Amino acid sequence: MNRFLELGGLAPSPFAGLVLADYGADVVRVDRPTEVFGPPRDTLCRRKRSIVIDLKSPSSRDAFLALVKVADVLIDPYRPGVMSRLGLGPETLAKLNPRLIYAHLHGFRPDGFYGKAAGHDLNYLAVSGILSIVGRKDEKPSPPANILGDFAGGGLVCATGILFALLHRHSTGRGQVVTANMVDGSTYLATFPRQQHGHLNMDRPRGENLLDGAAPFYEVYETKDKRFVVVGAQEPQFYAQLLRGLRLDKEKDELPEQWDRTQWPVMKTKFERIFKTKTMNEWRAVFDGTDACVSPVLNWDEVERPYKPLVELSESPGLDVSVQEDFPEVKKGQGCNEVLSEWVPDVQKKMRVDDRTKILSMVKGRDVRL
């Protein structure tokens, strides 16, 4: 089992650790003694344990270094240069543990124009170009929650980089530095729309293209009960089933041709009127089980259960994620003694955990030398 040290941070880095923990990695969150701004709890801590380290305290640093020496991966969510200024950057830790994979997860591209600036998901999407294509015609770009930048372009991309580095280490025995950032990660995820920009069906301003709300057969529609359904019937055989479900098949010959852009606003108005004549569940009774590509917009409490892992593996399956509490919580220092007995049993007796602060320290000299 690979051992991960995850320096405590917000959303993206804990998500990277969560993905790896769900597939068997031993992930230990390294908490700071002080409280930091953010959500009231770290909810991305399934199967993780915690140690509390004061990196400005020599004795606590020594305890941290003892764990780094036996770790496989360290995830660093801090801004560029923070850990190096503390004397704990990858150039230093690699000397202590040449097999260590040091994973940096930054917001902006570290060597770019905004490299050392603070930011959040929306900032990263803005400078990556992605936000410019998200939203309705004649409206300002729409914030897509924080899934695309923080979690997909950040945490998941970082986890992918760590896996690549582990494969490389398997063949060479050497660790390396993994540098991920949410701007480049998100931009990479947008490879297809970026490549297609300016070409057929993606050659017009935001909100006037096939996939961003202009096409009547690729749209979100309100229902009679103020719920919503989505339509994604691009292919002609699927479009034919859509018309059948809307009871427009008998007048098909009188309708505009599906791909006649000049008639898309007319058809969208027609579809909007029809979808408002039934409730969401009534439309489900019409379209569920067909290939019309009509789906209900479900709320969290309506989605299919149980929850499943990120991917299904036949020989090395992920661990059970079927139950996901709203606020699974790992308190600071929770599981610390077990971590020490499993990771560093030879030096555990030389460490102590403060009862009040939960800070882990080395108490009998500095046994970890760089």
Side-chain angles (χ1 to χ4, degrees):
M1 180 184 295
N2 288 310
R3 294 169 171 172
F4 288 69
L5 290 172
E6 174 198 299
L7 300 183
L10 300 178
S13 55
F15 184 66
L18 178 75
V19 171
L20 297 160
D22 280 342
Y23 285 85
D26 184 2
V27 181
V28 176
R29 190 180 67 203
V30 182
D31 284 311
R32 286 177 274 183
T34 56
E35 297 297 330
V36 296
F37 174 81
R41 300 174 183 171
D42 173 13
T43 63
L44 300 170
C45 52
R46 190 165 51 235
R47 299 188 176 87
K48 299 180 187 178
R49 296 176 289 187
S50 165
I51 60 171
V52 181
I53 296 291
D54 181 358
L55 293 177
K56 296 181 179 181
S57 162
S59 60
S60 192
R61 283 165 60 103
D62 284 346
F64 173 68
L65 292 173
L67 294 169
V68 169
K69 192 172 183 179
V70 297
D72 294 288
V73 179
L74 184 143
I75 301 175
D76 174 4
Y78 303 148
R79 291 198 220 181
V82 169
M83 288 294 283
S84 293
R85 288 194 293 273
L86 290 170
L88 297 169
E91 65 285 345
T92 302
L93 300 187
K95 296 177 183 178
L96 178 67
N97 180 358
R99 290 175 53 82
L100 181 70
I101 293 167
Y102 193 111
H104 268 138
L105 178 52
H106 300 302
F108 297 106
R109 180 184 294 182
D111 58 351
F113 182 80
Y114 296 100
K116 296 184 179 181
H120 286 290
D121 181 282
L122 198 60
N123 303 103
Y124 311 138
L125 295 184
V127 303
S128 71
I130 292 177
L131 196 62
S132 68
I133 66 172
V134 180
R136 295 287 182 176
K137 179 182 178 180
D138 298 328
E139 295 183 6
K140 60 186 178 182
S142 178
N146 69 330
I147 298 170
L148 183 55
D150 278 357
F151 293 97
L156 191 59
V157 166
C158 183
T160 303
I162 290 169
L163 295 177
F164 290 154
L166 286 169
L167 286 172
H168 180 264
R169 193 184 71 177
H170 180 71
S171 60
T172 66
R174 299 192 304 274
Q176 61 180 299
V177 177
V178 174
T179 304
N181 73 82
M182 288 167 240
V183 173
D184 291 331
S186 300
T187 300
Y188 190 91
L189 292 174
T191 295
F192 176 76
R194 189 177 65 252
Q195 290 175 336
Q196 295 294 310
H197 181 70
H199 296 278
L200 182 64
N201 294 322
M202 294 192 73
D203 57 349
R204 301 192 181 188
R206 181 179 66 249
E208 298 181 22
N209 301 285
L210 170 65
L211 301 178
D212 61 11
F217 48 85
Y218 201 86
E219 179 58 294
V220 182
Y221 291 100
E222 186 178 351
T223 59
K224 184 179 180 179
D225 56 344
K226 305 297 183 182
R227 297 292 300 273
F228 299 93
V229 296
V230 298
V231 174
Q234 296 184 48
E235 292 80 357
Q237 67 273 27
F238 302 153
Y239 187 67
Q241 293 196 45
L242 170 66
L243 295 182
R244 188 177 306 122
L246 296 176
R247 296 187 177 180
L248 292 173
D249 53 318
K250 293 182 179 180
E251 52 184 280
K252 182 179 179 181
D253 294 339
E254 302 172 12
L255 297 176
E257 196 276 326
Q258 178 185 357
W259 292 90
D260 182 355
R261 279 189 170 189
T262 65
Q263 296 301 306
W264 279 3
V266 173
M267 290 302 293
K268 183 179 289 190
T269 299
K270 183 182 287 287
F271 287 179
E272 287 173 343
R273 177 182 57 80
I274 295 174
F275 274 112
K276 284 185 177 180
T277 63
K278 297 180 186 292
T279 66
M280 185 188 77
N281 284 333
E282 287 173 336
W283 284 120
R284 291 194 67 175
V286 173
F287 287 112
D288 281 1
T290 74
D291 281 339
C293 300
V294 177
S295 306
V297 177
L298 300 178
N299 298 321
W300 289 124
D301 59 352
E302 297 173 314
V303 301
E304 268 189 284
R305 302 295 177 88
Y307 291 109
K308 295 294 186 73
L310 181 65
V311 293
E312 300 277 1
L313 300 176
S314 63
E315 297 299 321
S316 56
L319 301 175
D320 182 22
V321 298
S322 60
V323 177
Q324 298 187 6
E325 300 87 354
D326 290 337
F327 291 98
E329 183 177 6
V330 173
K331 296 180 180 179
K332 287 186 176 183
Q334 184 175 332
C336 178
N337 288 328
E338 290 83 355
V339 171
L340 299 180
S341 64
E342 295 169 14
W343 285 36
V344 287
D346 294 342
V347 295
Q348 182 180 10
K349 292 182 179 179
K350 300 177 182 179
M351 296 180 177
R352 74 177 183 89
V353 177
D354 185 270
D355 290 337
R356 182 178 62 84
T357 64
K358 305 302 180 185
I359 294 174
L360 175 66
S361 301
M362 190 78 73
V363 294
K364 289 189 177 180
R366 298 189 178 187
D367 290 69
V368 182
R369 301 292 180 182
L370 297 179

